Amino acid sequence: CNPSTNLATSAVATFSGGSTSSSYGPFRLNDGQLQSSCGFCWLKTGSYPAGAWVEYRWSTPQPVARVWFDTTSAYYSSCGQSIGRNLAGGKIQYWTGSSYKTITTVSSRITDWEVSFSQVSTTRLRLYDLHATNITGLKMNPMIFEWRVFCQ
C-alpha cells in the first residue's frame, strides 16, 4: 500500500444527522478541502453520548491503519462558528462483515488529530459517539473539515 494515498477519496461518506445542505453535508468529509476553505460537515450530536457517527463505505475491502481529522480549534472561533465545536473524539470502529468492532476510543482532542492502529481490512469505517469539546458544557455539534484514511 502507499501510505500517502488517502483512501477516503474513493469512499461514500454518510452520517447519523446534521446538515444535509449543499454547504455542510457529509460529502464535505472527503471533498479534499481543508479548513482554509471553510467547507465543513456539520454534525448534530445531541447530548453526549448520543450515538452520533460519521462513516465511510467502500465497494471493496480497504486496508486501514490510520485516520486524520481536520477540525477547528476548541478555543478559537472558525469560519463564523462559535468556540467548542471541534471534533474532540469518539470510537473508531470498523465493519467485520456482520457488526462493528471498536479499534480505539479517542477523547479530549482540542484541534486536528491523527490516530494509528493495527491494520484492518474493511468495507466500512466509522467514528461513533463522536462529540465536540466540553468548553460550552454541551459537547455538541462538531465541525469536520476533512477526514482522511490511510493504510499505514
Side-chain angles (χ1 to χ4, degrees):
C1 82
N2 182 340
S4 63
T5 298
N6 177 12
L7 302 171
T9 59
S10 64
V12 174
T14 59
F15 66 170
S16 58
S19 178
T20 56
S21 77
S22 60
S23 299
Y24 307 111
F27 72 93
R28 288 290 188 186
L29 293 169
N30 59 350
D31 67 357
Q33 301 298 309
L34 299 178
Q35 185 173 353
S36 60
S37 73
C38 280
F40 58 88
C41 178
W42 172 80
L43 298 142
K44 182 176 181 180
T45 57
S47 298
Y48 174 77
W53 51 266
V54 292
E55 179 180 78
Y56 282 146
R57 289 184 181 203
W58 294 273
S59 58
T60 59
Q62 301 296 308
V64 176
R66 180 170 50 103
V67 295
W68 176 77
F69 288 92
D70 183 12
T71 186
T72 188
S73 168
Y75 299 102
Y76 301 100
S77 62
S78 179
C79 298
Q81 303 301 314
S82 59
I83 64 168
R85 290 195 56 197
N86 71 300
L87 178 64
K91 296 174 185 172
I92 299 171
Q93 300 180 322
Y94 74 98
W95 182 249
T96 65
S98 59
S99 64
Y100 284 96
K101 183 173 181 179
T102 299
I103 297 169
T104 190
T105 300
V106 177
S107 63
S108 304
R109 303 300 170 105
I110 59 171
T111 189
D112 300 347
W113 52 274
E114 181 175 61
V115 175
S116 295
F117 43 87
S118 295
Q119 190 178 85
V120 296
S121 180
T122 189
T123 57
R124 300 182 197 174
L125 187 69
R126 75 177 181 176
L127 183 65
Y128 180 74
D129 269 346
L130 60 85
H131 57 279
T133 299
N134 196 22
I135 292 173
T136 59
L138 299 175
K139 290 189 173 183
M140 294 172 61
N141 305 335
M143 301 161 49
I144 302 173
F145 295 98
E146 190 77 4
W147 172 20
R148 294 184 177 173
V149 178
F150 303 94
C151 64
Q152 53 176 287

Short mmCIF file of all heavy atoms in Angstrom, two decimals, residues 29-85:
data_model
loop_
_atom_site.label_atom_id
_atom_site.label_comp_id
_atom_site.label_asym_id
_atom_site.label_seq_id
_atom_site.Cartn_x
_atom_site.Cartn_y
_atom_site.Cartn_z
N LEU A 29 -16.83 15.60 4.11
CA LEU A 29 -15.85 14.80 4.82
C LEU A 29 -14.68 14.39 3.95
O LEU A 29 -13.55 14.28 4.42
CB LEU A 29 -16.51 13.54 5.40
CG LEU A 29 -17.53 13.77 6.50
CD1 LEU A 29 -18.29 12.49 6.80
CD2 LEU A 29 -16.87 14.31 7.75
N ASN A 30 -14.93 14.16 2.65
CA ASN A 30 -13.86 13.68 1.78
C ASN A 30 -13.82 14.43 0.44
O ASN A 30 -13.52 13.85 -0.59
CB ASN A 30 -13.96 12.18 1.55
CG ASN A 30 -15.29 11.74 0.92
OD1 ASN A 30 -16.23 12.52 0.81
ND2 ASN A 30 -15.35 10.49 0.51
N ASP A 31 -14.10 15.73 0.49
CA ASP A 31 -14.08 16.53 -0.74
C ASP A 31 -12.71 17.13 -1.05
O ASP A 31 -12.54 17.84 -2.03
CB ASP A 31 -15.14 17.63 -0.70
CG ASP A 31 -14.87 18.70 0.36
OD1 ASP A 31 -13.88 18.58 1.12
OD2 ASP A 31 -15.66 19.66 0.43
N GLY A 32 -11.71 16.84 -0.21
CA GLY A 32 -10.36 17.32 -0.45
C GLY A 32 -10.10 18.75 -0.01
O GLY A 32 -9.00 19.26 -0.19
N GLN A 33 -11.08 19.39 0.62
CA GLN A 33 -10.94 20.78 1.05
C GLN A 33 -10.65 20.86 2.54
O GLN A 33 -11.41 20.33 3.35
CB GLN A 33 -12.22 21.57 0.74
CG GLN A 33 -12.59 21.57 -0.73
CD GLN A 33 -11.52 22.23 -1.58
OE1 GLN A 33 -11.09 23.34 -1.30
NE2 GLN A 33 -11.08 21.54 -2.61
N LEU A 34 -9.58 21.53 2.89
CA LEU A 34 -9.19 21.66 4.30
C LEU A 34 -9.85 22.89 4.94
O LEU A 34 -10.62 23.60 4.31
CB LEU A 34 -7.67 21.74 4.40
CG LEU A 34 -6.94 20.50 3.87
CD1 LEU A 34 -5.44 20.69 3.96
CD2 LEU A 34 -7.38 19.25 4.60
N GLN A 35 -9.51 23.14 6.18
CA GLN A 35 -10.14 24.22 6.96
C GLN A 35 -10.07 25.57 6.29
O GLN A 35 -11.00 26.36 6.40
CB GLN A 35 -9.51 24.29 8.35
CG GLN A 35 -10.19 25.32 9.25
CD GLN A 35 -9.67 25.26 10.67
OE1 GLN A 35 -8.90 24.40 11.04
NE2 GLN A 35 -10.11 26.20 11.48
N SER A 36 -9.03 25.84 5.57
CA SER A 36 -8.88 27.16 4.94
C SER A 36 -10.02 27.45 3.95
O SER A 36 -10.30 28.61 3.67
CB SER A 36 -7.53 27.26 4.23
OG SER A 36 -7.43 26.26 3.24
N SER A 37 -10.70 26.41 3.48
CA SER A 37 -11.82 26.61 2.55
C SER A 37 -13.12 26.95 3.26
O SER A 37 -14.08 27.40 2.64
CB SER A 37 -12.04 25.34 1.73
OG SER A 37 -12.63 24.32 2.54
N CYS A 38 -13.17 26.71 4.58
CA CYS A 38 -14.38 26.89 5.41
C CYS A 38 -15.53 26.00 4.95
O CYS A 38 -16.69 26.26 5.30
CB CYS A 38 -14.82 28.35 5.47
SG CYS A 38 -13.85 29.31 6.65
N GLY A 39 -15.27 24.95 4.22
CA GLY A 39 -16.30 23.99 3.86
C GLY A 39 -16.25 22.82 4.82
O GLY A 39 -15.32 22.03 4.81
N PHE A 40 -17.23 22.72 5.71
CA PHE A 40 -17.19 21.69 6.73
C PHE A 40 -18.48 20.88 6.78
O PHE A 40 -19.52 21.29 6.31
CB PHE A 40 -16.91 22.28 8.12
CG PHE A 40 -17.90 23.32 8.57
CD1 PHE A 40 -19.06 22.97 9.25
CD2 PHE A 40 -17.65 24.67 8.33
CE1 PHE A 40 -19.96 23.94 9.67
CE2 PHE A 40 -18.55 25.64 8.74
CZ PHE A 40 -19.71 25.27 9.42
N CYS A 41 -18.36 19.71 7.37
CA CYS A 41 -19.51 18.86 7.65
C CYS A 41 -19.99 19.22 9.05
O CYS A 41 -19.22 19.18 10.00
CB CYS A 41 -19.12 17.39 7.58
SG CYS A 41 -20.46 16.25 7.97
N TRP A 42 -21.25 19.60 9.16
CA TRP A 42 -21.85 19.95 10.44
C TRP A 42 -22.63 18.76 10.94
O TRP A 42 -23.51 18.25 10.26
CB TRP A 42 -22.76 21.17 10.28
CG TRP A 42 -23.54 21.47 11.51
CD1 TRP A 42 -23.10 22.11 12.62
CD2 TRP A 42 -24.91 21.13 11.76
NE1 TRP A 42 -24.11 22.19 13.54
CE2 TRP A 42 -25.23 21.59 13.04
CE3 TRP A 42 -25.89 20.47 11.03
CZ2 TRP A 42 -26.48 21.42 13.60
CZ3 TRP A 42 -27.14 20.30 11.59
CH2 TRP A 42 -27.42 20.78 12.86
N LEU A 43 -22.30 18.29 12.16
CA LEU A 43 -22.91 17.09 12.72
C LEU A 43 -23.77 17.41 13.92
O LEU A 43 -23.34 18.10 14.84
CB LEU A 43 -21.80 16.13 13.16
CG LEU A 43 -20.96 15.68 11.98
CD1 LEU A 43 -19.53 15.56 12.35
CD2 LEU A 43 -21.52 14.40 11.43
N LYS A 44 -24.97 16.90 13.91
CA LYS A 44 -25.86 17.05 15.06
C LYS A 44 -25.61 15.88 15.99
O LYS A 44 -25.83 14.72 15.62
CB LYS A 44 -27.32 17.06 14.62
CG LYS A 44 -28.27 17.25 15.77
CD LYS A 44 -29.69 17.35 15.28
CE LYS A 44 -30.61 17.58 16.47
NZ LYS A 44 -32.01 17.68 16.04
N THR A 45 -25.13 16.16 17.19
CA THR A 45 -24.76 15.09 18.10
C THR A 45 -25.69 14.95 19.29
O THR A 45 -25.71 13.91 19.92
CB THR A 45 -23.33 15.28 18.62
OG1 THR A 45 -23.25 16.55 19.25
CG2 THR A 45 -22.33 15.19 17.49
N GLY A 46 -26.42 15.99 19.66
CA GLY A 46 -27.23 15.92 20.87
C GLY A 46 -26.33 15.84 22.08
O GLY A 46 -25.13 16.03 22.01
N SER A 47 -26.90 15.54 23.23
CA SER A 47 -26.12 15.42 24.46
C SER A 47 -25.27 14.16 24.38
O SER A 47 -25.73 13.11 23.97
CB SER A 47 -27.05 15.35 25.67
OG SER A 47 -27.80 16.53 25.77
N TYR A 48 -24.02 14.27 24.78
CA TYR A 48 -23.07 13.16 24.68
C TYR A 48 -23.28 12.16 25.80
O TYR A 48 -23.51 12.56 26.93
CB TYR A 48 -21.65 13.72 24.73
CG TYR A 48 -20.60 12.66 24.77
CD1 TYR A 48 -20.25 11.98 23.63
CD2 TYR A 48 -19.98 12.32 25.96
CE1 TYR A 48 -19.29 10.98 23.65
CE2 TYR A 48 -19.03 11.32 25.99
CZ TYR A 48 -18.69 10.67 24.84
OH TYR A 48 -17.75 9.68 24.88
N PRO A 49 -23.15 10.86 25.59
CA PRO A 49 -23.03 10.21 24.29
C PRO A 49 -24.42 9.98 23.68
O PRO A 49 -25.35 9.61 24.39
CB PRO A 49 -22.37 8.87 24.61
CG PRO A 49 -22.85 8.56 25.99
CD PRO A 49 -23.02 9.89 26.69
N ALA A 50 -24.54 10.19 22.43
CA ALA A 50 -25.86 10.08 21.79
C ALA A 50 -25.85 9.16 20.57
O ALA A 50 -26.83 9.07 19.87
CB ALA A 50 -26.35 11.47 21.40
N GLY A 51 -24.72 8.51 20.31
CA GLY A 51 -24.66 7.58 19.19
C GLY A 51 -24.44 8.23 17.83
O GLY A 51 -24.58 7.58 16.81
N ALA A 52 -24.07 9.50 17.80
CA ALA A 52 -23.81 10.18 16.53
C ALA A 52 -22.59 9.55 15.85
O ALA A 52 -21.66 9.11 16.53
CB ALA A 52 -23.58 11.66 16.76
N TRP A 53 -22.60 9.51 14.50
CA TRP A 53 -21.49 8.90 13.79
C TRP A 53 -21.29 9.51 12.40
O TRP A 53 -22.20 10.09 11.83
CB TRP A 53 -21.69 7.39 13.65
CG TRP A 53 -23.03 6.99 13.09
CD1 TRP A 53 -24.14 6.66 13.81
CD2 TRP A 53 -23.41 6.89 11.71
NE1 TRP A 53 -25.19 6.36 12.95
CE2 TRP A 53 -24.77 6.49 11.67
CE3 TRP A 53 -22.74 7.09 10.51
CZ2 TRP A 53 -25.46 6.29 10.47
CZ3 TRP A 53 -23.43 6.90 9.31
CH2 TRP A 53 -24.77 6.50 9.31
N VAL A 54 -20.07 9.34 11.90
CA VAL A 54 -19.73 9.59 10.50
C VAL A 54 -19.13 8.28 10.00
O VAL A 54 -18.49 7.55 10.75
CB VAL A 54 -18.73 10.76 10.30
CG1 VAL A 54 -19.38 12.08 10.66
CG2 VAL A 54 -17.45 10.56 11.11
N GLU A 55 -19.35 8.00 8.71
CA GLU A 55 -18.91 6.70 8.18
C GLU A 55 -18.47 6.81 6.74
O GLU A 55 -19.01 7.60 5.97
CB GLU A 55 -20.07 5.70 8.27
CG GLU A 55 -19.73 4.32 7.74
CD GLU A 55 -20.89 3.37 7.84
OE1 GLU A 55 -21.81 3.45 7.00
OE2 GLU A 55 -20.89 2.56 8.79
N TYR A 56 -17.48 6.01 6.41
CA TYR A 56 -17.06 5.80 5.02
C TYR A 56 -17.42 4.37 4.63
O TYR A 56 -17.22 3.44 5.41
CB TYR A 56 -15.56 5.99 4.86
CG TYR A 56 -15.10 7.42 4.82
CD1 TYR A 56 -13.87 7.78 5.35
CD2 TYR A 56 -15.88 8.42 4.24
CE1 TYR A 56 -13.43 9.10 5.30
CE2 TYR A 56 -15.45 9.73 4.20
CZ TYR A 56 -14.22 10.07 4.73
OH TYR A 56 -13.79 11.36 4.68
N ARG A 57 -17.90 4.23 3.38
CA ARG A 57 -18.19 2.90 2.82
C ARG A 57 -17.48 2.77 1.48
O ARG A 57 -17.54 3.67 0.65
CB ARG A 57 -19.69 2.71 2.61
CG ARG A 57 -20.45 2.57 3.90
CD ARG A 57 -21.91 2.30 3.65
NE ARG A 57 -22.60 2.20 4.92
CZ ARG A 57 -23.73 1.57 5.10
NH1 ARG A 57 -24.32 0.97 4.08
NH2 ARG A 57 -24.28 1.52 6.29
N TRP A 58 -16.83 1.60 1.30
CA TRP A 58 -16.17 1.28 0.05
C TRP A 58 -16.83 0.06 -0.56
O TRP A 58 -17.37 -0.78 0.15
CB TRP A 58 -14.70 0.97 0.29
CG TRP A 58 -13.88 2.12 0.76
CD1 TRP A 58 -13.26 3.05 -0.03
CD2 TRP A 58 -13.54 2.46 2.11
NE1 TRP A 58 -12.57 3.95 0.76
CE2 TRP A 58 -12.74 3.62 2.07
CE3 TRP A 58 -13.86 1.91 3.35
CZ2 TRP A 58 -12.23 4.23 3.22
CZ3 TRP A 58 -13.37 2.52 4.49
CH2 TRP A 58 -12.56 3.66 4.42
N SER A 59 -16.74 -0.08 -1.86
CA SER A 59 -17.34 -1.24 -2.53
C SER A 59 -16.48 -2.49 -2.39
O SER A 59 -16.97 -3.60 -2.52
CB SER A 59 -17.57 -0.94 -4.02
OG SER A 59 -16.36 -0.58 -4.64
N THR A 60 -15.19 -2.32 -2.09
CA THR A 60 -14.28 -3.43 -1.86
C THR A 60 -13.51 -3.18 -0.57
O THR A 60 -13.32 -2.03 -0.17
CB THR A 60 -13.28 -3.60 -3.02
OG1 THR A 60 -12.52 -2.39 -3.15
CG2 THR A 60 -14.00 -3.92 -4.33
N PRO A 61 -13.03 -4.22 0.10
CA PRO A 61 -12.28 -4.04 1.35
C PRO A 61 -11.03 -3.17 1.16
O PRO A 61 -10.33 -3.29 0.15
CB PRO A 61 -11.90 -5.47 1.75
CG PRO A 61 -12.93 -6.33 1.10
CD PRO A 61 -13.24 -5.65 -0.21
N GLN A 62 -10.79 -2.32 2.14
CA GLN A 62 -9.64 -1.43 2.14
C GLN A 62 -8.75 -1.72 3.34
O GLN A 62 -9.25 -1.98 4.44
CB GLN A 62 -10.11 0.03 2.21
CG GLN A 62 -11.01 0.45 1.09
CD GLN A 62 -10.32 0.41 -0.25
OE1 GLN A 62 -9.24 0.98 -0.43
NE2 GLN A 62 -10.93 -0.27 -1.21
N PRO A 63 -7.42 -1.64 3.18
CA PRO A 63 -6.51 -1.82 4.31
C PRO A 63 -6.39 -0.50 5.07
O PRO A 63 -5.85 0.47 4.57
CB PRO A 63 -5.18 -2.18 3.63
CG PRO A 63 -5.26 -1.47 2.30
CD PRO A 63 -6.72 -1.46 1.91
N VAL A 64 -6.90 -0.45 6.27
CA VAL A 64 -6.98 0.79 7.03
C VAL A 64 -6.13 0.69 8.29
O VAL A 64 -6.24 -0.29 9.04
CB VAL A 64 -8.45 1.09 7.40
CG1 VAL A 64 -8.55 2.31 8.27
CG2 VAL A 64 -9.29 1.23 6.15
N ALA A 65 -5.27 1.71 8.55
CA ALA A 65 -4.42 1.69 9.74
C ALA A 65 -4.19 3.06 10.36
O ALA A 65 -3.52 3.18 11.38
CB ALA A 65 -3.06 1.07 9.39
N ARG A 66 -4.76 4.11 9.75
CA ARG A 66 -4.53 5.45 10.29
C ARG A 66 -5.64 6.37 9.82
O ARG A 66 -6.09 6.28 8.67
CB ARG A 66 -3.17 5.97 9.81
CG ARG A 66 -2.79 7.34 10.30
CD ARG A 66 -1.32 7.66 10.00
NE ARG A 66 -0.92 7.42 8.62
CZ ARG A 66 -0.75 8.37 7.69
NH1 ARG A 66 -0.98 9.64 7.97
NH2 ARG A 66 -0.36 8.04 6.47
N VAL A 67 -6.08 7.27 10.71
CA VAL A 67 -7.07 8.28 10.35
C VAL A 67 -6.56 9.65 10.78
O VAL A 67 -5.79 9.76 11.74
CB VAL A 67 -8.45 8.02 10.98
CG1 VAL A 67 -9.06 6.73 10.45
CG2 VAL A 67 -8.38 7.99 12.50
N TRP A 68 -6.99 10.66 10.07
CA TRP A 68 -6.65 12.05 10.40
C TRP A 68 -7.89 12.90 10.22
O TRP A 68 -8.59 12.78 9.20
CB TRP A 68 -5.53 12.54 9.49
CG TRP A 68 -5.19 13.98 9.69
CD1 TRP A 68 -4.45 14.52 10.72
CD2 TRP A 68 -5.56 15.09 8.86
NE1 TRP A 68 -4.35 15.89 10.57
CE2 TRP A 68 -5.03 16.26 9.43
CE3 TRP A 68 -6.31 15.19 7.69
CZ2 TRP A 68 -5.21 17.51 8.87
CZ3 TRP A 68 -6.49 16.44 7.14
CH2 TRP A 68 -5.94 17.59 7.72
N PHE A 69 -8.18 13.73 11.21
CA PHE A 69 -9.34 14.63 11.17
C PHE A 69 -8.88 16.07 11.19
O PHE A 69 -8.11 16.48 12.06
CB PHE A 69 -10.26 14.38 12.36
CG PHE A 69 -11.02 13.09 12.28
CD1 PHE A 69 -10.51 11.93 12.85
CD2 PHE A 69 -12.24 13.03 11.63
CE1 PHE A 69 -11.21 10.74 12.78
CE2 PHE A 69 -12.95 11.85 11.56
CZ PHE A 69 -12.44 10.70 12.13
N ASP A 70 -9.35 16.84 10.22
CA ASP A 70 -9.13 18.28 10.18
C ASP A 70 -10.38 18.91 10.79
O ASP A 70 -11.47 18.83 10.23
CB ASP A 70 -8.95 18.74 8.73
CG ASP A 70 -8.65 20.23 8.60
OD1 ASP A 70 -8.35 20.90 9.61
OD2 ASP A 70 -8.72 20.73 7.46
N THR A 71 -10.22 19.50 11.95
CA THR A 71 -11.33 20.13 12.66
C THR A 71 -10.88 21.51 13.12
O THR A 71 -9.75 21.91 12.89
CB THR A 71 -11.79 19.24 13.84
OG1 THR A 71 -12.97 19.79 14.44
CG2 THR A 71 -10.70 19.07 14.89
N THR A 72 -11.75 22.23 13.75
CA THR A 72 -11.40 23.56 14.23
C THR A 72 -10.75 23.47 15.61
O THR A 72 -10.80 22.43 16.26
CB THR A 72 -12.67 24.45 14.27
OG1 THR A 72 -12.30 25.78 14.57
CG2 THR A 72 -13.67 23.96 15.28
N SER A 73 -10.15 24.54 16.07
CA SER A 73 -9.59 24.59 17.41
C SER A 73 -10.72 24.73 18.42
O SER A 73 -11.71 25.42 18.17
CB SER A 73 -8.65 25.79 17.54
OG SER A 73 -8.32 26.01 18.90
N ALA A 74 -10.58 24.10 19.56
CA ALA A 74 -11.60 24.19 20.61
C ALA A 74 -11.72 25.59 21.19
O ALA A 74 -12.77 25.98 21.68
CB ALA A 74 -11.27 23.20 21.73
N TYR A 75 -10.65 26.36 21.12
CA TYR A 75 -10.60 27.64 21.83
C TYR A 75 -10.74 28.87 20.95
O TYR A 75 -10.70 29.99 21.45
CB TYR A 75 -9.32 27.72 22.65
CG TYR A 75 -9.26 26.63 23.68
CD1 TYR A 75 -8.47 25.50 23.48
CD2 TYR A 75 -10.03 26.70 24.83
CE1 TYR A 75 -8.44 24.48 24.42
CE2 TYR A 75 -10.01 25.69 25.77
CZ TYR A 75 -9.21 24.58 25.56
OH TYR A 75 -9.20 23.57 26.49
N TYR A 76 -10.87 28.69 19.65
CA TYR A 76 -10.99 29.83 18.75
C TYR A 76 -12.16 29.59 17.79
O TYR A 76 -12.39 28.48 17.34
CB TYR A 76 -9.70 30.02 17.93
CG TYR A 76 -8.51 30.26 18.81
CD1 TYR A 76 -7.63 29.21 19.10
CD2 TYR A 76 -8.27 31.50 19.38
CE1 TYR A 76 -6.54 29.41 19.94
CE2 TYR A 76 -7.19 31.71 20.22
CZ TYR A 76 -6.33 30.66 20.48
OH TYR A 76 -5.26 30.86 21.32
N SER A 77 -12.86 30.65 17.47
CA SER A 77 -13.95 30.50 16.51
C SER A 77 -13.35 30.36 15.11
O SER A 77 -12.27 30.87 14.84
CB SER A 77 -14.90 31.70 16.56
OG SER A 77 -14.22 32.89 16.23
N SER A 78 -14.04 29.64 14.27
CA SER A 78 -13.54 29.37 12.92
C SER A 78 -14.69 29.42 11.94
O SER A 78 -15.78 28.89 12.22
CB SER A 78 -12.88 28.00 12.89
OG SER A 78 -12.42 27.70 11.60
N CYS A 79 -14.46 30.04 10.81
CA CYS A 79 -15.44 30.06 9.72
C CYS A 79 -16.81 30.57 10.20
O CYS A 79 -17.85 30.05 9.79
CB CYS A 79 -15.56 28.68 9.07
SG CYS A 79 -14.00 28.14 8.33
N GLY A 80 -16.78 31.53 11.10
CA GLY A 80 -18.02 32.15 11.58
C GLY A 80 -18.76 31.34 12.62
O GLY A 80 -19.88 31.68 12.98
N GLN A 81 -18.16 30.27 13.13
CA GLN A 81 -18.82 29.42 14.12
C GLN A 81 -18.26 29.67 15.51
O GLN A 81 -17.15 30.14 15.67
CB GLN A 81 -18.64 27.94 13.75
CG GLN A 81 -19.15 27.59 12.39
CD GLN A 81 -20.63 27.89 12.23
OE1 GLN A 81 -21.44 27.57 13.09
NE2 GLN A 81 -20.99 28.53 11.14
N SER A 82 -19.01 29.33 16.53
CA SER A 82 -18.61 29.57 17.92
C SER A 82 -17.53 28.59 18.38
O SER A 82 -17.31 27.55 17.76
CB SER A 82 -19.83 29.48 18.83
OG SER A 82 -20.41 28.20 18.72
N ILE A 83 -16.89 28.93 19.49
CA ILE A 83 -15.85 28.07 20.07
C ILE A 83 -16.47 26.77 20.58
O ILE A 83 -17.67 26.69 20.80
CB ILE A 83 -15.07 28.78 21.19
CG1 ILE A 83 -16.01 29.10 22.38
CG2 ILE A 83 -14.38 30.02 20.69
CD1 ILE A 83 -15.26 29.54 23.62
N GLY A 84 -15.63 25.76 20.78
CA GLY A 84 -16.07 24.50 21.35
C GLY A 84 -16.69 23.54 20.36
O GLY A 84 -17.24 22.52 20.75
N ARG A 85 -16.60 23.83 19.06
CA ARG A 85 -17.23 22.96 18.07
C ARG A 85 -16.22 22.09 17.33
O ARG A 85 -16.49 21.58 16.26
CB ARG A 85 -18.04 23.78 17.07
CG ARG A 85 -19.28 24.36 17.73
CD ARG A 85 -20.28 24.86 16.76
NE ARG A 85 -20.69 23.83 15.82
CZ ARG A 85 -21.30 24.11 14.67
NH1 ARG A 85 -21.56 25.35 14.33
NH2 ARG A 85 -21.66 23.13 13.85
#
